[in-house]
Amino acid sequence: MKKVINALAACAMLAIAAPQTATAQEAENNYRFVMVSHIGSNDPNMKWLTLSLEEFEKKYPNVKTEYISTNNYSVQEHVRLLEQAIATKPDGIAVPIVSTDAFEVPLRKAIEQGIPVVAFNIPDPRPEGERIPYLTYVGGDEYLTGKKLAEYALSRADLPAPKRVVCATHDSAHQGLKARCAGMKDAMEAAGAEFEELFISAEPATARNTLQSYLQANPDTNYIFTVASWSAPWAWGVANDMGLSPDVDDKGVTIITVDASPVALAGIKAGHVLATNSQGFWLQGYAPMEWLYWKHELGYEPQSDILTGPIIVDIESIDHWEGLVRKIFGDAYDEQNTW
């Protein structure tokens, strides 16, 4: 198995090797790197990535970065955007491998054309030699995200013991979301709980109706894991309307979600959500661009993937994370609170 570098160690290595900032006049080469993302402006996590790209351009003024995404997400649309980006012949591409089957052909084509590729946020899960031959992966381990969040819940003696856990997902083809569910499943089943993955849709009304039907049919469900933070208020609202006591206490339903987004943090602070995680989104924007730059300028090729998370965020650490995330989102922080 390929050795994985801890994110902090990787950052230290990058800082040591980084060239001094050059002015545009001093730069001999100009590059254009494209991030083809599945995270649109309707997802608060986009802000981490776009701000990190802006910071990258300050340090490397001879690089132009482009962020491409859509709010009407589908794997097919993502592939279309990727193919359009490849056709423009950029100097590098950063992309999440949302679907190995869908992304394999266009990415291998780009790499054969000499366009270096870095996977971010979601890797190709196959072993080296079988996976798409990108330079490296920068991001969290989504299996560990689900597993660590489950282990945290199981460690809390003040919470109900899990009986049945449902993993509410909005995209059945998303490998990263499936990995989150798988990590949660393995930890919860090892503790004796029943587990089920439930497709709820990304459309609020449909998601709520699906969750309500599931909870009615499975009244022993006492943990809901929403694999997107913006769906956590939907789950809480349904459970609350059904009288299932969804706040964090020693009875009823307990809700767990993902990502250090304003809605997740607000949910924790209000006592509606047990915990979430940080997967190091800022690094997921900055570090892929730096590796692409070093590939061109220095011929560097990273010898391992770089993990940027998960880090558990709970009520004990909420003040720290709220302060950090407010610096990123500014006035938009409170606008993202949909509780």
Side-chain angles (χ1 to χ4, degrees), residues 146-157:
K147 186 172 185 289
K148 293 298 183 182
L149 284 167
E151 290 172 348
Y152 171 78
L154 292 167
S155 73
R156 289 279 298 267

Side-chain angles (χ1 to χ4, degrees), residues 17-317:
Q20 295 297 313
T21 301
T23 66
Q25 289 74 24
E26 293 171 336
E28 296 181 359
N29 300 304
N30 294 299
Y31 304 107
R32 181 173 63 89
F33 300 152
V34 181
M35 178 167 278
V36 188
S37 180
H38 60 315
I39 299 173
S41 60
N42 60 329
D43 187 326
N45 289 310
M46 177 179 165
K47 193 78 171 178
W48 291 100
L49 298 170
T50 53
L51 287 177
S52 65
L53 294 184
E54 291 175 9
E55 195 64 28
F56 174 84
E57 288 186 344
K58 292 177 184 178
K59 184 173 182 179
Y60 300 96
N62 59 320
V63 181
K64 171 65 177 175
T65 64
E66 297 177 13
Y67 188 93
I68 301 173
S69 67
T70 175
N71 287 338
N72 300 314
Y73 185 78
S74 70
V75 171
Q76 294 77 15
E77 176 65 9
H78 198 169
V79 170
R80 186 185 70 80
L81 293 175
L82 176 62
E83 290 174 337
Q84 285 184 345
I86 294 171
T88 68
K89 300 189 182 304
D91 297 297
I93 292 173
V95 62
I97 314 299
V98 173
S99 169
T100 300
D101 291 341
F103 282 61
E104 180 136 27
V105 171
L107 286 179
R108 286 187 182 273
K109 178 181 177 182
I111 293 166
E112 289 169 2
Q113 292 175 1
I115 302 172
V117 173
V118 172
F120 81 96
N121 193 257
I122 308 168
D124 182 340
R126 297 174 296 181
E128 188 176 4
E130 296 179 23
R131 78 182 193 181
I132 298 165
Y134 46 71
L135 289 177
T136 190
Y137 166 67
V138 178
D141 183 318
E142 296 311 318
Y143 175 83
L144 285 180
T145 294
K147 186 172 185 289
K148 293 298 183 182
L149 284 167
E151 290 172 348
Y152 171 78
L154 292 167
S155 73
R156 289 279 298 267
D158 58 326
L159 299 174
K163 297 177 181 177
R164 175 180 287 272
V165 181
V166 60
C167 184
T169 180
H170 58 280
D171 187 344
S172 59
H174 192 309
Q175 292 178 163
L177 304 187
K178 285 183 172 295
R180 290 174 182 174
C181 288
M184 178 71 64
K185 177 179 186 291
D186 287 352
M188 287 298 191
E189 286 188 341
E194 297 292 325
F195 183 92
E196 192 165 354
E197 184 175 338
L198 177 69
F199 175 69
I200 61 170
S201 163
E203 197 281 315
T206 301
R208 290 189 181 98
N209 289 336
T210 302
L211 277 167
Q212 182 176 351
S213 296
Y214 181 86
L215 294 173
Q216 288 173 338
N218 299 276
D220 58 336
T221 303
N222 65 342
Y223 279 80
I224 302 173
F225 178 37
T226 65
V227 294
S229 59
W230 39 261
S231 60
W234 306 346
W236 183 88
V238 169
N240 190 57
D241 289 345
M242 295 175 68
L244 300 179
S245 183
D247 283 339
V248 179
D249 52 30
D250 61 356
K251 59 183 181 296
V253 169
T254 301
I255 295 171
I256 305 170
T257 194
V258 296
D259 292 333
S261 65
V263 67
L265 300 183
I268 291 173
K269 195 164 188 178
H272 301 327
V273 172
L274 172 63
T276 188
N277 77 296
S278 169
Q279 56 172 290
F281 264 120
W282 194 93
L283 281 173
Q284 292 180 30
Y286 192 96
M289 298 298 153
E290 198 152 47
W291 276 116
L292 291 171
Y293 182 82
W294 291 347
K295 168 65 174 174
H296 282 287
E297 288 288 296
L298 304 172
Y300 284 0
E301 292 193 6
Q303 298 302 301
S304 60
D305 293 340
I306 301 172
L307 283 191
T308 60
I311 300 168
I312 301 299
V313 181
D314 64 2
I315 192 63
E316 297 297 324
S317 58

